[in-house]
Amino acid sequence: MKATIRLDKMLGNLGYGTRSVIKQWIKQGAVTVNGETVKDHGKQIRPNDDTVTLNGETIRYRDTVYVLMHKPAGVVSATEDYRDRTVIDLLDEDITVLSPFPVGRLDKDTEGLLLITNDGKLSHELLSPKKHVPKTYRALVAGAVGEPDAEAFGRGVELDDGYVTMPAHLRVLASVDSGAGGTMQADEPDDAAEMSAVLDFAPSGPEAPPLSWIELTIHEGKFHQVKRMFEAVGKKVLYLRRVAMGPLKLDPALAPGEWRELTEDEVDNLRNYRKDGQE
């Protein structure tokens, strides 16, 4: 960002009105800079240092925005869509005026962590194939996921189009053996509770398959990759949630559809993450 910016341009960039409307407000004395009324709409100000008010409201200037969203199912990861609601539609106007976009995509039926920003450089760094930024998911899977699957994922599996994935880390958090009266097994109570919370996505009845609650970390982002990886080993993803992207973790305080802006530390961690493409 430049050290200075025109007063009317600053207010316009923040969505406070059209340039003509803002000029009229300034002419009418509605705007002050450092406590003094300003009538010159072209006045150069230092947005990071000067205090600007409009009708008594202090204006906080920024040209970048960073949002952590818990994306809900049924909403598409796009800036606009003619049929479905988008993740941008869930944001407040003071955020959307800065033209943010989702960093990468989550499938329409997938929940979880989604970074939304207008920082193109950061987005490129996080999505660059050369960086191999890890993305971690939790999923409810139809089928008994076990060590052979973890070993296969660790080597890389061949998808339906012949592409062989990079090695991925798979671990089973909890499982339900439908043939043993629905007995759940989990190393940690929290994992069992988390799986129980998503069992509505699973089929029921005497023919129901065993279920596995898993965590998978991948280092690329192919189309429907997690679902296709499990299909490659004869299993089906019933529910999918992204819980981490690089150093950024899904905030457990955010329910699906909720969001918050990133803290300064979170933004710094993302900017500094693998600057040279290495761990």
Side-chain angles (χ1 to χ4, degrees):
M1 184 182 67
K2 294 181 179 180
T4 64
I5 188 173
R6 285 170 57 106
L7 179 59
D8 55 358
K9 182 174 176 60
M10 168 190 163
L11 294 172
N13 288 353
L14 294 175
Y16 282 93
T18 64
R19 191 71 64 87
S20 60
V21 169
I22 291 170
K23 288 179 179 179
Q24 188 65 26
W25 284 341
I26 294 173
K27 184 177 180 179
Q28 293 172 352
V31 177
T32 69
V33 176
N34 297 327
E36 297 184 3
T37 300
V38 175
K39 297 292 185 73
D40 177 12
H41 61 81
K43 178 179 175 61
Q44 293 286 328
I45 63 166
R46 298 165 298 170
N48 291 327
D49 300 314
D50 294 334
T51 299
V52 178
T53 69
L54 172 62
N55 292 321
E57 174 190 352
T58 299
I59 306 302
R60 175 190 170 202
Y61 184 75
R62 54 180 172 176
D63 56 0
T64 53
V65 63
Y66 306 88
V67 169
L68 170 62
M69 176 179 286
H70 187 161
K71 177 195 170 297
V75 176
V76 297
S77 301
T79 54
E80 60 181 4
D81 191 276
Y82 295 112
R83 295 179 299 176
D84 297 305
R85 201 177 188 199
T86 75
V87 292
I88 303 302
D89 295 328
L90 303 181
L91 301 174
D92 292 345
E93 186 176 358
D94 65 330
I95 300 292
T96 60
V97 73
L98 296 173
S99 302
F101 50 85
V103 178
R105 298 178 66 88
L106 291 179
D107 295 342
K108 183 178 177 181
D109 62 348
T110 299
E111 297 183 359
L113 182 152
L114 186 66
L115 174 64
I116 301 174
T117 184
N118 60 354
D119 187 336
K121 181 179 179 181
L122 177 63
S123 176
H124 174 75
E125 290 291 317
L126 293 174
L127 296 179
S128 171
K130 295 180 180 179
K131 296 293 184 179
H132 304 311
V133 174
K135 291 168 280 288
T136 300
Y137 297 81
R138 292 196 170 186
L140 181 66
V141 178
V145 179
E147 189 60 30
D149 302 306
E151 293 176 356
F153 280 26
R155 294 189 300 267
V157 295
E158 183 175 340
L159 304 183
D160 49 12
D161 60 359
Y163 177 81
V164 178
T165 66
M166 294 179 61
H169 180 67
L170 169 67
R171 66 189 182 106
V172 179
L173 304 175
S175 60
V176 172
D177 185 352
S178 302
T183 303
M184 182 179 294
Q185 296 180 335
D187 291 335
E188 299 292 339
D190 287 348
D191 294 330
E194 195 174 17
M195 180 177 183
S196 297
V198 298
L199 286 179
D200 288 345
F201 293 90
S204 59
E207 302 299 322
L211 302 171
S212 304
W213 180 243
I214 64 88
E215 183 175 272
L216 175 66
T217 299
I218 62 177
H219 297 268
E220 55 209 324
K222 301 298 180 181
F223 183 67
H224 296 325
Q225 181 170 337
V226 174
K227 297 173 183 176
R228 294 165 65 201
M229 289 178 72
F230 278 101
E231 289 173 359
V233 293
K235 298 172 177 67
K236 182 179 181 180
V237 172
L238 304 174
Y239 168 87
L240 186 61
R241 179 200 309 151
R242 184 159 67 187
V243 297
M245 181 179 186
L248 187 62
K249 304 291 191 295
L250 180 62
D251 189 335
L254 295 177
E258 295 183 339
W259 56 272
R260 65 167 173 80
E261 293 190 55
L262 268 61
T263 65
E264 290 185 7
D265 284 345
E266 287 172 329
V267 174
D268 287 342
N269 287 339
L270 285 172
R271 286 175 174 162
N272 295 325
Y273 188 68
R274 290 187 176 183
K275 277 189 172 179
D276 59 356
Q278 304 296 323
E279 288 280 9

